[in-house]
Amino acid sequence: MSNNRKLSVKLVLALTLVLLVGVYSTTIKGKFFNPADDPNPKIQKLKLQPNFKAEHLYSPSEAGNGSWVSMTFDDKGRMIASDQYGYLYRLTIPPVGADTNTNKLKVERLDIQVEGDTSRIKMGFAHGLLYAFNSLYVMVNNNPTPPSTMNKGSGLYRLQDTNNDDQYDKITLLKALVTPGGEHGPHSILLAPDKQSIYVISGNHTDVPEMDAYRLPKTWKEDNLFPLIKDPNGHANDRYAPGGWIANIDPEGKRWELISAGYRNAFDIAFNEDNELFTYDADMEWDFGMPWYRPTRINHATSGSEYGWRTGNSKWSPAYPDNLPAVLNIGQGSPTNLISAKDARFPEKYRRSLFAFDWSFGIIYAVKLRPEGSSYTANAEMFLSGSPLPLTDGVIGPDGALYFLTGGRKLDSDLYRVYYGDNTSSNAPLTSSLNASQLQLQNTRKQLEKFHGNPDPKAVSTAWPHLKNNDRFIRYAARIAVEHQPVAEWQEKALSEKDPQILTQAMIALARTGTADLQPKMISALASINFAQLSEPQKIDVLRAFELLILRMGKPTGANNAKLIAYLNPKFPTKSNELNRLLSKVLVYVDAPQAVSKTMTLMATAKDDDNGQKTFTSSADLVARNPQYGLDIAGMLAKTPPAEKIYYLTVLSEAKTGWTAPLREKYFKWYTTAFGYKGGNSYIGFIEKARKMALANVPKEKFEYFNAMSGNSLLITRGRNVAVIGNPKGPGRDWKMEEALKVVETDSTDRNFAQGKMLFTAALCSNCHTLKGEGGGGVGPDLTQLGTRFSNRDILESIILPGKVISDQYAATDFRMKDGSTITGRLKNEENGKYYISMNPFSPQTLQVIQKKDVESTKLSNVSIMYPGTINRLNKEELKDLLAYLTSAGNKNHEVYKPKANKATTASVK
C-alpha cells in the first residue's frame, strides 16, 4: 500500500471516530437548515440548504396505494404518479401556504376504461410518465404472467381522453419493448426543449428496438481485447453492446431515432438551460475495487454518443476515443432521477443545476455545470439528504417547487414538496451560460452532428479537418459524421492521410466500418506515425486504433503481425498506466516477445491512479454523510484491491506463450495475495475465473501443482463462515409480519451485540449475505447499508416474505424445458450453447449445466432463492438483537447499543 493510501485510510478512520463521539451533528447543523421544529419525523430527518422548506404531502404506502417511483404534472396542474408494481394515481395538491384544513390533498386511482368497453384496464408499473400533446405517456416496465390485455407489458403507451370527461379512455401502444423484467428496463420520458418531440431512456436489459434512424451508427460490438470474464454472480451475462440507450420519437411514436447509447442503467435524462441533454448513469457496485469499476456519473448525451458500458469486465476506459468521458464522476450510489431546476423558484445557482437523485444514500446532488469547450465540466454539492430516504423520482412543479418521491421495491413511500423562502422567487427563463467562444464551439459540434444520419456529399470534406480538433467532443462528432458516409468514398483518403491525428481517427472509423482486407494497409499507415512526438491522449488513440483493427479484422499474421509488434513492443512499458494497459493486452494477444515478462514486471511494481475517473465523492465524504457505511468503506480501504496489478493478472490469464518456470510460479503465487483483498461482491469470483483461465494454459501434468499454489484451498471457505458459533435459545415461533414489527419497535435499546452477531450466523444470514465484507457475498445483497436505506418494517418484510420484492440482480430464473419440466436456479453463465445454473444458495459454486437446445423458454422467477422462516427459531429478545445487529451494520458503537440513560442524556442535549 502506498504512503498516500495509508494516510488516507488513517484520516478516514480518524474522521470516523471523531464523528462517532458527536462532532458530526454539530458540523451538519452548521451547514444545513435543520427543520427540527416540524413535528413530523419524516421532515425532521431531512437536511436542507438554508432558507429551503420541506413539506410532507402524502404517504402512498400508508394509504395502501403502493410504492411510487414516477410522476408528472398534467395541464391542469395535477400530479399523476405510478406505483412501481401497481396503478396510476392522480393528485390534486393544495398550493404552497394553503390552509390544509380547507384545502385537502385529493387522490384518485386511475382505472382506465376504454371507450365502448366495460372492463377496467390496469395501467401502471411505470418507470416514466409525461403529460404532453394533450396525452399521458406511460413507460411501463412490467412482464405480466400470463400476458393480458387488462395488464399491460413493457413498452411506451399513450393515454388520451377522447370525450373530454377528464378520464382516459384510449390506450395506444407506441412501441413494445423487450426486456426480461427487473429494474434495468425502460425508464423515463422527457419532452424536448422545442416541445415538438419526446426523448426516452432505457437500461441495459432493454433490447434496442429497430429504429428508423441511428445517430450512433449501428456497428457496435464489445470491442475489448481484455480477456472476457462475465460477472461471476451472473448479472447481465446475456446483455451486450450497446447497453442502455436514449431515443427521440415524434408524438405519435411513428419515428424512432437512436441518439446515444453505452449506458449501464441510467434512469433519467434532463436538458439544461442551453438545451443540452444529460443523464446520470449507474455503477456496478459488485465491481468495486476492480480496474473496470466505473462510478456513477453525469454524462453529456450528445448526438451519436457512446459511453462504453459492456458486460462483465469489458467496460471501456473513458480515455478510449470511441467513447466519451463523463462530465462528472460522482461515486458509489444508485441513480434514480435527474432533472433540471431551470424552472424552479430557487436561487439562480440552483436553477442552473441538475438535481441528481441517489436512492442508496438518500441524497439529492445539485450538479453545477460549467461550459468547457463544446461540452461541460461540473462540480456538485449535497442539496438535500435524509436517512433513510430512498429517492425515486422528482419534478419541478408548475408552481416552481420541487416535488420528490421516495419508495421503490415496495418500501415505505412518501411524497414531499421543497420550496425556497415563500416560493415567490422569479423563475423567468435563464440566459445561456455560454460565452462567445463556447457558443462557437458548440455550434461547430452541432453542425457536424447534422451529418449523423443519411449520407451527405458535404459530410466528409466538412468533418475531415475536425478529426484533429483540440476539442474531444468535436473530434468525436466529426468521426461519427464520417462513419455515416459510404466507406468507399473516404477509405483511400484515410489510408493516404499524413497528419497523424487525422490519420488515427480515420483508422478508428475505418476499423469500425471497413473490410478485413484493409488491415495490412491500416497497420502500415498507423506504423508510420512518430509515436514519440504525440501527447499521451494521442498515443492512447493510436493504441486503441490498433486494438480495434485487431478486434474487427482479426489477429494479424505473418509480416503484418511482425510489423505491428515491431512498432509497439519497444514502447512497452511506459510510465503511464493507461498506455500500459492498452499495450499489455495488445502485445500479449499478438504473442509479442517479452510481452509476458514485461507484464509480470509491471504486475510487481504498478501503482494505482484514478484511471481518469476521479470522483466527486470520496471515502471521507461517505463517512461524513453516513458514519455507519463509512466504517465499512474505511475498513475496505485498508484492503482495497490493487487495480493495476489485477489488470495485468487478468491480461496474463490468457497468455499461452512466453512463460518461464520462475515467471509462472511467481504469477500463480500472486493469486493467494489477490484473494486477501476486499472488493465488491464479485471480486473473489473475478479473481477465481481469471485463475481458472490461466490454469487452462498450463501443461496438464502441472495443473494440480499450480492449482494448489494459486490458492485453491482458500476458496473452500473464503468469505463464508459456515461454522455456527452458537444456537438460538428460543422458544421460537412462526413469526408474522405485524407481530414481529411490534416486538422489534418495542424497547429496542440496550441490545446484545455479541448475541446479534452470533444470530447473524445461526439464522443462516451469513451463508448468503455479506455485512462489512464478511459472509457469503454475492448470493444475496450486501447488508451493510441496510439500516440507512430501510425501515424495520422493510427489513422484516424481506425476511418473513422474501418473495414479495426480488431485485433482478439476485433473482432466479425459471427454465421451462421442452420435456415439460421446469428447472429453477440462478443463471451464473451461458456459453457454448449451455446454461450454467446455481441451484443451492448454500453451495453457489455447485453448478448444473443445461443444454440450451433443451430449453423452451426462460423467465425471471417470482420465487425468492431466500428461504422463508429463517427467524422462526428466535424468541423475542433474539429477534430484537438480530435486527439491532443488521441495522447497526455490525457496529458495536451504534446508538442501539448505548445504555438507555446515556441515550436519554444525548437526546436532551440535542
Side-chain angles (χ1 to χ4, degrees):
M1 183 186 297
S2 70
N3 289 335
N4 286 340
R5 179 176 287 177
K6 289 179 180 177
L7 179 60
S8 68
V9 173
K10 289 179 179 178
L11 287 173
V12 172
L13 289 169
L15 177 57
T16 302
L17 294 173
V18 170
L19 297 180
L20 288 171
V21 297
V23 175
Y24 174 68
S25 60
T26 303
T27 304
I28 292 298
K29 286 182 180 178
K31 187 174 181 181
F32 295 96
F33 168 73
N34 185 2
D37 55 349
D38 193 300
N40 188 342
K42 294 187 177 186
I43 296 296
Q44 290 176 357
K45 70 180 178 181
L46 300 180
K47 296 181 178 70
L48 301 169
Q49 291 291 350
N51 298 320
F52 281 89
K53 299 177 183 178
E55 293 179 282
H56 177 258
L57 299 175
Y58 182 61
S59 293
S61 52
E62 292 178 9
N65 289 332
S67 191
W68 294 1
V69 296
S70 61
M71 60 180 170
T72 188
F73 279 91
D74 67 14
D75 59 343
K76 296 180 180 178
R78 298 171 298 188
M79 178 183 290
I80 300 174
S82 180
D83 175 16
Q84 183 177 5
Y85 303 109
Y87 291 90
L88 298 176
Y89 296 87
R90 186 161 60 189
L91 290 76
T92 302
I93 301 173
V96 171
D99 183 352
T100 55
N101 291 320
T102 56
N103 291 270
K104 299 288 187 181
L105 183 142
K106 300 176 182 177
V107 181
E108 61 174 312
R109 194 175 83 181
L110 295 179
D111 293 325
I112 313 302
Q113 185 172 348
V114 176
E115 185 73 20
D117 189 342
T118 59
S119 58
R120 300 280 180 172
I121 296 175
K122 185 176 184 180
M123 283 300 301
F125 298 86
H127 278 208
L129 294 169
L130 172 69
Y131 189 90
F133 308 108
N134 200 32
S135 305
L136 177 65
Y137 292 86
V138 182
M139 184 67 88
V140 173
N141 186 359
N142 180 36
N143 284 332
T145 305
S148 167
T149 57
M150 298 296 105
N151 190 1
K152 299 298 184 181
S154 294
L156 181 61
Y157 296 82
R158 184 182 190 182
L159 277 57
Q160 294 170 284
D161 173 12
T162 62
N163 58 11
N164 298 316
D165 66 350
D166 204 28
Q167 297 294 324
Y168 297 107
D169 53 43
K170 181 180 180 182
I171 300 175
T172 305
L173 173 62
L174 301 184
K175 178 81 73 174
L177 295 173
V178 178
T179 174
E183 295 171 347
H184 290 235
H187 294 315
S188 296
I189 322 168
L190 182 67
L191 185 64
D194 63 5
K195 295 180 171 53
Q196 299 301 307
S197 63
I198 293 169
Y199 286 78
V200 298
I201 185 167
S202 289
N204 61 346
H205 285 200
T206 312
D207 293 351
V208 179
E210 191 63 35
M211 299 279 177
D212 301 287
Y214 296 84
R215 288 189 166 267
L216 177 65
K218 196 179 177 182
T219 57
W220 49 73
K221 292 187 177 181
E222 298 305 290
D223 285 339
N224 200 333
L225 277 178
F226 195 56
L228 173 61
I229 302 177
K230 294 181 180 181
D231 179 71
N233 287 308
H235 186 66
N237 281 357
D238 61 344
R239 308 309 304 177
Y240 298 100
W245 49 272
I246 299 171
N248 175 251
I249 66 173
D250 62 19
E252 290 75 32
K254 294 180 179 178
R255 184 179 188 275
W256 287 62
E257 181 178 38
L258 184 70
I259 301 297
S260 178
Y263 304 103
R264 181 176 184 264
N265 193 30
F267 262 75
D268 213 342
I269 43 182
F271 288 97
N272 73 343
E273 67 270 20
D274 301 322
N275 295 332
E276 294 288 316
L277 186 63
F278 296 84
T279 189
Y280 181 22
D281 199 11
D283 66 344
M284 174 45 160
E285 66 273 22
W286 293 354
D287 290 349
F288 186 74
M290 304 302 285
W292 47 86
Y293 172 76
R294 307 198 314 175
T296 67
R297 54 194 191 149
I298 305 294
N299 297 316
H300 187 187
T302 56
S303 169
S305 54
E306 156 76 83
Y307 277 92
W309 177 87
R310 297 297 186 265
T311 193
N313 67 346
S314 288
K315 301 166 186 71
W316 296 358
S317 165
Y320 292 175
D322 43 337
N323 74 161
L324 290 168
V327 168
L328 178 69
N329 292 304
I330 289 182
Q332 291 175 282
S334 298
T336 50
N337 186 52
L338 186 70
I339 58 172
S340 169
K342 61 186 176 183
D343 295 323
R345 294 188 181 276
F346 289 178
E348 185 173 338
K349 77 167 186 174
Y350 291 115
R351 294 185 63 204
R352 292 188 182 275
S353 298
L354 303 177
F355 284 176
F357 287 42
D358 173 27
W359 186 85
S360 287
F361 289 101
I363 298 171
I364 300 177
Y365 296 103
V367 178
K368 302 170 185 178
L369 298 169
R370 298 192 306 272
E372 183 174 277
S374 71
S375 183
Y376 298 80
T377 186
N379 58 23
E381 68 175 68
M382 183 162 41
F383 174 75
L384 182 151
S385 67
S387 179
L389 196 72
L391 297 155
T392 57
D393 199 14
V395 66
I396 303 300
D399 58 358
L402 168 65
Y403 293 79
F404 70 87
L405 289 167
T406 64
R409 297 185 181 176
K410 300 187 179 178
L411 298 179
D412 287 347
S413 185
D414 293 286
L415 169 64
Y416 294 84
R417 173 167 60 195
V418 174
Y419 55 94
Y420 182 77
D422 58 2
N423 201 44
T424 58
S425 300
S426 173
N427 63 348
L430 295 168
T431 58
S432 173
S433 58
L434 306 173
N435 62 32
S437 174
Q438 293 159 348
L439 180 61
Q440 182 178 6
L441 288 170
Q442 280 206 8
N443 286 337
T444 298
R445 172 172 57 77
K446 290 176 181 178
Q447 286 298 316
L448 293 167
E449 289 170 354
K450 291 180 179 178
F451 298 117
H452 294 178
N454 296 324
D456 188 306
K458 298 179 181 178
V460 172
S461 60
T462 302
W464 207 258
H466 291 293
L467 293 175
K468 64 178 296 184
N469 196 292
N470 289 331
D471 186 291
R472 181 168 171 182
F473 279 73
I474 291 176
R475 277 200 312 277
Y476 182 94
R479 179 179 56 78
I480 294 296
V482 170
E483 290 186 21
H484 274 290
Q485 312 312 309
V487 67
E489 294 182 7
W490 54 270
Q491 69 180 36
E492 291 306 319
K493 181 179 179 68
L495 291 166
S496 60
E497 179 59 56
K498 299 304 180 184
D499 184 281
Q501 294 180 59
I502 296 178
L503 172 60
T504 302
Q505 299 302 321
M507 291 301 100
I508 291 171
L510 197 55
R512 287 164 48 86
T513 58
T515 53
D517 61 297
L518 296 172
Q519 189 188 65
K521 293 181 179 179
M522 293 172 67
I523 292 173
S524 296
L526 286 169
S528 70
I529 294 174
N530 189 331
F531 196 78
Q533 293 184 351
L534 302 178
S535 66
E536 181 168 323
Q538 291 165 357
K539 290 177 180 178
I540 290 170
D541 292 359
V542 169
L543 296 179
R544 179 62 170 165
F546 274 112
E547 181 181 18
L548 287 170
L549 70 84
I550 295 170
L551 284 159
R552 296 288 185 121
M553 298 174 173
K555 185 176 181 179
T557 58
N560 293 316
N561 198 44
K563 183 180 291 186
L564 183 151
I565 292 171
Y567 181 75
L568 294 182
N569 214 11
K571 301 167 177 57
F572 179 56
T574 75
K575 295 180 179 180
S576 160
N577 283 346
E578 192 69 57
L579 292 176
N580 282 333
R581 287 186 179 195
L582 280 159
L583 283 163
S584 64
K585 66 177 174 178
V586 170
L587 290 171
V588 168
Y589 184 82
V590 298
D591 302 314
Q594 291 84 50
V596 167
S597 60
K598 289 179 179 181
T599 304
M600 282 293 296
T601 299
L602 275 177
M603 198 174 87
T605 61
K607 305 294 182 184
D608 288 353
D609 56 24
D610 62 23
N611 191 31
Q613 298 189 98
K614 185 176 181 180
T615 57
F616 158 65
T617 57
S618 66
S619 298
D621 290 329
L622 293 177
V623 173
R625 291 169 186 164
N626 185 338
Q628 173 180 313
Y629 185 53
L631 282 168
D632 184 59
I633 292 295
M636 186 179 290
L637 275 176
K639 295 184 178 180
T640 298
E644 288 304 308
K645 294 177 187 290
I646 288 170
Y647 190 91
Y648 303 127
L649 185 84
T650 308
V651 165
L652 290 170
S653 68
E654 287 196 344
K656 297 176 176 59
T657 62
W659 292 101
T660 64
L663 282 177
R664 191 158 253 159
E665 291 214 359
K666 187 177 181 180
Y667 174 77
F668 280 106
K669 283 180 179 178
W670 202 83
Y671 277 98
T672 62
T673 301
F675 285 132
Y677 293 106
K678 292 174 65 175
N681 273 359
S682 291
Y683 170 72
I684 294 298
F686 275 120
I687 299 300
E688 171 60 1
K689 282 199 170 187
R691 189 182 78 95
K692 287 183 175 179
M693 289 161 59
L695 285 169
N697 295 320
V698 304
K700 290 183 179 180
E701 65 274 13
K702 289 286 188 179
F703 178 88
E704 290 301 333
Y705 176 74
F706 287 116
N707 187 35
M709 177 183 291
S710 56
N712 183 61
S713 61
L714 297 175
L715 294 167
I716 297 174
T717 58
R718 167 69 194 178
R720 189 175 296 275
N721 182 4
V722 296
V724 177
I725 59 175
N727 287 294
K729 296 177 181 178
R733 66 181 68 188
D734 183 10
W735 285 104
K736 304 300 182 185
M737 183 64 213
E738 295 305 321
E739 178 190 20
L741 182 62
K742 183 178 179 180
V743 166
V744 168
E745 294 190 339
T746 302
D747 188 28
S748 287
T749 56
D750 290 346
R751 300 320 315 160
N752 187 320
F753 174 81
Q755 178 159 280
K757 185 174 183 179
M758 178 274 290
L759 292 167
F760 182 68
T761 299
L764 305 180
C765 308
S766 63
N767 283 62
C768 299
H769 299 277
T770 54
L771 193 148
K772 296 187 69 176
E774 297 179 359
V779 179
D782 189 312
L783 303 183
T784 305
Q785 299 181 61
L786 202 66
T788 61
R789 291 186 185 182
F790 306 116
S791 66
N792 285 334
R793 174 181 287 275
D794 298 327
I795 297 170
L796 285 169
E797 191 172 72
S798 294
I799 296 172
I800 297 170
L801 305 169
K804 187 170 182 181
V805 180
I806 305 172
S807 168
D808 54 299
Q809 287 186 220
Y810 302 95
T813 299
D814 290 334
F815 297 85
R816 177 74 174 177
M817 309 303 289
K818 290 181 179 177
D819 64 5
S821 64
T822 298
I823 298 174
T824 299
R826 285 191 69 188
L827 177 61
K828 303 288 281 188
N829 194 19
E830 57 176 293
E831 59 186 10
N832 301 324
K834 299 175 183 177
Y835 292 116
Y836 295 81
I837 303 165
S838 173
M839 300 179 67
N840 182 354
F842 298 140
S843 181
Q845 72 276 9
T846 302
L847 302 181
Q848 178 172 340
V849 180
I850 299 177
Q851 299 291 334
K852 283 189 174 182
K853 62 182 177 60
D854 297 330
V855 177
E856 182 177 293
S857 64
T858 65
K859 68 173 183 176
L860 290 180
S861 176
N862 58 9
V863 177
S864 174
I865 60 173
M866 177 176 169
Y867 299 141
T870 55
I871 60 172
N872 286 351
R873 293 189 297 154
L874 277 56
N875 62 35
K876 290 182 179 181
E877 295 304 312
E878 289 170 332
L879 180 62
K880 293 179 186 179
D881 286 335
L882 177 60
L883 263 288
Y885 186 75
L886 293 173
T887 56
S888 71
N891 172 19
K892 62 183 177 182
N893 294 314
H894 192 277
E895 64 176 4
V896 298
Y897 299 117
K898 292 180 181 178
K900 296 178 185 177
N902 289 354
K903 193 174 179 72
T905 302
T906 304
S908 64
V909 170
K910 291 182 180 180

